[in-house]
């Protein structure tokens, strides 16, 4: 792309006038921009052996294709284009197939290697300096190419010919020029706010026509918005195999397998004791989350169970015995797995309207990094299920920032299950650190990781080995000692 600029400084001075104010020079600029409009076309030539003998100058033409406002076609000559070559070569050309005068363009003709080795035979204008500039086609039917593109006897024993078929690729870059003058206006265009409009529509509840239900709790939405954002919802709500009841959709399997097996993982309480998450957890302000087992809850009697065995708060405060035997009293906030699923559903729908992640603290009523990580894990699995790629990447980025001892194993399992390459790499490097490895291996999430993703354990061992090699190198350099020579200068001793 070339740019030529002209300004009033390059023009002859205007004749003097009697008006003094008109003698003040006015500076203006314009730009001439020259660039290429690029495109490509693949031409498959089947039954090559049957085309031989059709005669010198006889060709097989591709369908016409359009690039840069012009029609083009590829011409392949099995017996060559020139009689003097006596059918020794095949010929290949690109031709202008529409009306045009002095059409300037760059070309590339490639005979594709079909063995997978990518040793293509390429003749190209692109990527190199041209002494005479782009090639000019004078009129319709003008061609560019090679009479002696390739020897026939070599072609017929090469990897370019597979199953009696050739594959030709042509790239065309049509040269276009235009001039841009100075703008005579300054209009400030605000950023798009379509997400705010859709978000306000969701908040208003007007026109909703579908309800999602999670353990008795419902959330209203609009079918048309869900279908526009997610191909999965589009099939579920409007496809030929749509659900029978599209007025109310029960969500029972939004969790990934890792959550079903590990019951949301394990965490440490404020005194460092480990508690398994078998029913729910509590928090106090910004203190670390405490997860209690069924037995502990029964002992202290602070939680009650409904007919389905779901834990619910049974008191405004709770006493528990920590790892040092001390009895502590905490204000309780109950978040069960089902309420997390409902919060995840709300976050998913919020994103589909607003195109942004919601405030997790507002959704679940807790200000905790652990809960934020847990929600991001659930959302990543849900985003993958409903084909929301941007949401999946947002969750992957957030989880990369929030790697911790208690969550990294389940996060790694999710990264493996949902092909999150960068998140997987971050988790592997974190676990492989000597100061983290032992603690991570003691978590329930790591047990699940070993059972469900054995190949990841192999990769983890490779990371650990690399860290070990670096440690050995560091220790080796650390054994180098400094001594002094007879003149008092510091010298490094050799270690034999």
């Amino acid at each position: 792309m070339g740019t030529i600029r002209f300004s009033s400084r390059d023009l002859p001075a205007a004749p003097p006038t009697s008006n003094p104010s008109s003698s003040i020079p006015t500076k203006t600029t314009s730009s001439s921009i020259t660039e290429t409009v690029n495109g490509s076309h693949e031409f498959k030539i089947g039954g090559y052996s049957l085309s031989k003998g059709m005669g010198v100058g006889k060709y097989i033409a591709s369908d016409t294709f359009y690039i840069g406002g012009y029609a083009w076609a590829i011409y392949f000559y099995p017996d060559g284009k020139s009689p003097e070559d006596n059918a020794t070569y095949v010929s290949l050309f690109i031709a202008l197939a529409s009306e045009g005068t002095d059409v300037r363009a760059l070309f590339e003709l490639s005979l594709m290697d079909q063995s997978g080795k990518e040793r293509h035979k390429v003749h190209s204008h692109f990527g190199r300096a041209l002494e005479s500039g782009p090639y000019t086609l004078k009129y319709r039917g003008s061609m560019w190419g090679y009479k002696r593109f390739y020897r026939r006897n070599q072609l017929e024993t090469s990897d370019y010919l597979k199953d009696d078929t050739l594959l030709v690729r042509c790239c065309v870059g049509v040269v276009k020029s235009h001039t841009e003058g100075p703008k005579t206006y300054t209009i400030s265009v605000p950023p798009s706010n379509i997400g705010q409009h859709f978000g306000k529509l969701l908040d208003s509840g007007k026109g909703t026509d579908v309800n999602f239900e999670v353990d008795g709790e419902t959330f209203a939405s609009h079918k048309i918005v869900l279908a526009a954002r997610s191909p999965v919802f589009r099939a579920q709500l409007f496809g030929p195999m749509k659900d029978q009841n599209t007025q109310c959709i029960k969500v029972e399997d939004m969790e990934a397998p890792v959550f079903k097996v590990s019951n949301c993982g394990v965490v440490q309480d404020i005194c460092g004791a480990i508690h398994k998450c078998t029913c729910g957890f509590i928090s106090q302000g910004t203190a670390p989350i405490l997860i209690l087992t069924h037995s502990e809850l029964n002992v202290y009697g602070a939680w009650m169970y409904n007919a389905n065995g779901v834990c619910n708060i049974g008191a405004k405060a709770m006493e528990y015995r920590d790892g040092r035997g001390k009895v502590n009293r905490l204000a309780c906030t109950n978040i069960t797995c089902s309420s997390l699923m409902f919060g995840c559903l709300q976050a998913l729908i919020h994103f589909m309207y607003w195109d942004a992640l919601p405030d997790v603290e507002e959704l679940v009523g807790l200000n905790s990094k652990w809960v934020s990580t847990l929600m991001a894990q659930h959302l990543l699995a849900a985003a993958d299920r409903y084909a929301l790629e941007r949401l999946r990447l947002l969750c992957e980025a957030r989880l990369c920032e929030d790697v911790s001892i208690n969550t990294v194993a389940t996060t790694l399992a999710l990264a493996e299950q949902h092909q999150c390459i960068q998140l997987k790499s971050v988790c592997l490097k974190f676990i492989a650190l000597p100061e983290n490895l032992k603690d991570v291996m003691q978590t329930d999430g790591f047990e699940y990781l070993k059972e469900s993703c054995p190949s990841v354990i192999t990769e983890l061992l490779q990371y650990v080995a690399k860290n070990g090699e670096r440690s050995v190198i560091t220790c080796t350099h650390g054994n180098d000692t400094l001594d002094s020579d007879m003149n008092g200068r510091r010298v490094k001793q050799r270690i034999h």
Side-chain angles (χ1 to χ4, degrees):
M1 172 177 163
T3 301
I4 305 171
R5 298 188 181 275
F6 299 93
S7 71
S8 58
R9 293 177 299 178
D10 304 314
L11 303 177
T17 64
S18 57
N19 187 353
S21 62
S22 64
S23 63
I24 300 175
T26 301
K27 180 180 179 180
T28 61
T29 63
S30 63
S31 300
S32 174
I33 300 175
T34 301
E35 56 192 357
T36 58
V37 179
N38 301 328
S40 64
H41 182 80
E42 284 194 353
F43 180 31
K44 184 180 288 186
I45 305 169
Y48 164 78
S49 60
L50 299 177
S51 68
K52 293 192 299 182
M54 66 187 303
V56 175
K58 303 292 184 180
Y59 59 81
I60 300 171
S62 72
D63 193 8
T64 55
F65 53 95
Y66 292 85
I67 299 173
Y70 297 96
W72 306 88
I74 301 170
Y75 288 80
F76 176 71
Y77 298 78
D79 295 326
K81 194 172 186 294
S82 299
E84 60 267 24
D85 290 329
N86 197 25
T88 304
Y89 296 88
V90 297
S91 303
L92 190 62
F93 286 83
I94 174 71
L96 179 64
S98 62
E99 297 299 332
T101 303
D102 295 334
V103 179
R104 302 173 70 236
L106 303 176
F107 300 105
E108 180 177 282
L109 287 170
S110 304
L111 192 57
M112 308 306 291
D113 179 358
Q114 300 186 73
S115 68
K117 301 175 183 176
E118 298 190 359
R119 298 175 180 174
H120 314 304
K121 182 171 178 59
V122 182
H123 291 282
S124 179
H125 282 156
F126 294 91
R128 61 187 179 90
L130 300 175
E131 294 181 2
S132 56
Y135 191 80
T136 302
L137 302 177
K138 297 291 185 181
Y139 45 80
R140 179 177 182 176
S142 297
M143 292 184 169
W144 176 87
Y146 293 87
K147 295 180 181 179
R148 298 180 176 181
F149 190 83
Y150 206 69
R151 283 187 176 271
R152 275 181 48 174
N153 59 353
Q154 294 179 0
L155 174 65
E156 292 167 5
T157 59
S158 70
D159 290 330
Y160 304 121
L161 185 64
K162 181 180 180 181
D163 298 330
D164 204 29
T165 299
L166 297 172
L167 184 61
V168 174
R169 179 181 296 164
C170 175
C171 298
V172 179
V174 179
V175 178
K176 297 277 189 176
S177 297
H178 67 277
T179 300
E180 294 182 355
K183 291 183 178 180
T184 58
Y185 60 89
T186 55
I187 299 176
S188 178
V189 180
S192 172
N193 60 353
I194 188 172
Q196 295 180 6
H197 287 290
F198 277 102
K200 291 177 180 178
L201 174 66
L202 176 67
D203 293 341
S204 71
K206 295 179 180 178
T208 57
D209 53 2
V210 61
N211 288 316
F212 290 91
E213 181 181 338
V214 179
D215 284 342
E217 295 189 80
T218 59
F219 191 83
S221 186
H222 303 80
K223 293 180 184 178
I224 194 66
V225 176
L226 303 181
R229 295 284 278 159
S230 165
V232 178
F233 278 126
R234 185 159 59 247
Q236 188 174 359
L237 297 170
F238 296 105
M241 302 296 290
K242 67 179 180 180
D243 294 350
Q244 293 182 352
N245 182 9
T246 59
Q247 302 302 316
C248 183
I249 299 176
K250 289 190 175 182
V251 180
E252 299 174 345
D253 57 349
M254 184 174 286
E255 288 181 306
V258 60
F259 299 116
K260 293 187 175 75
V261 174
S262 65
N263 268 335
C264 302
V266 296
V267 296
Q268 289 179 305
D269 65 20
I270 54 178
C271 296
I274 297 292
H275 302 274
K276 293 183 179 179
C277 175
T278 57
C279 48
F281 52 86
I282 62 175
S283 71
Q284 183 180 32
T286 58
I289 297 298
L290 170 66
I291 293 180
L292 299 178
T293 64
H294 282 289
S295 60
E296 290 168 319
L297 295 173
N298 289 335
V299 169
Y300 297 110
W303 294 55
M304 299 174 64
Y305 303 90
N306 61 20
N308 298 321
V310 177
C311 294
N312 294 293
I313 288 294
K316 293 183 178 179
M318 177 178 189
E319 291 183 351
Y320 77 98
R321 194 176 302 277
D322 63 29
R324 301 174 185 176
K326 179 182 177 182
V327 174
N328 293 273
R329 187 175 181 83
L330 297 177
C332 299
T333 303
N334 179 32
I335 298 182
T336 63
C337 292
S338 61
S339 60
L340 274 172
M341 283 181 59
F342 185 71
C344 179
L345 173 63
Q346 288 182 291
L348 182 77
I349 302 300
H350 181 282
F351 173 83
M352 296 178 74
Y353 281 79
W354 290 89
D355 202 36
L357 289 172
D359 188 324
V360 174
E361 183 179 353
E362 291 184 4
L363 281 180
V364 299
L366 283 176
N367 180 16
S368 166
K369 186 176 181 180
W370 189 88
V371 174
S372 176
T373 299
L374 186 60
M375 181 66 77
Q377 290 176 331
H378 277 75
L379 265 179
L380 187 147
D384 198 27
R385 174 183 172 181
Y386 291 105
L388 298 169
E389 181 62 16
R390 184 168 183 271
L391 177 59
R392 191 182 74 85
L393 293 174
L394 283 172
C395 293
E396 182 179 1
R398 179 162 294 186
L399 288 171
C400 284
E401 297 172 358
D402 294 336
V403 178
S404 67
I405 295 293
N406 291 316
T407 59
V408 67
T410 51
T411 298
L412 178 55
L414 280 173
E416 177 70 6
Q417 292 164 1
H418 300 283
Q419 292 79 51
C420 302
I421 298 175
Q422 294 189 62
L423 177 59
K424 177 180 176 180
S425 177
V426 168
C427 291
L428 286 170
K429 291 177 181 177
F430 179 87
I431 298 174
L433 292 174
E435 61 268 27
N436 297 334
L437 183 58
K438 183 178 179 181
D439 291 336
V440 173
M441 291 177 66
Q442 293 176 349
T443 64
D444 282 2
F446 190 78
E447 291 300 318
Y448 171 75
L449 182 66
K450 289 194 298 183
E451 295 174 6
S452 62
C453 307
S455 61
V456 175
I457 300 300
T458 303
E459 295 180 61
L460 175 60
L461 290 174
Q462 294 174 349
Y463 272 90
V464 173
K466 288 180 182 178
N467 282 345
E469 291 174 2
R470 284 194 288 267
S471 298
V472 170
I473 293 172
T474 302
C475 291
T476 301
H477 289 307
N479 288 333
D480 290 346
T481 59
L482 294 174
D483 204 345
S484 301
D485 65 1
M486 295 178 63
N487 296 319
R489 293 173 298 184
R490 294 172 65 83
V491 295
K492 181 182 289 188
Q493 289 183 337
R494 293 182 179 272
I495 298 177
H496 301 286

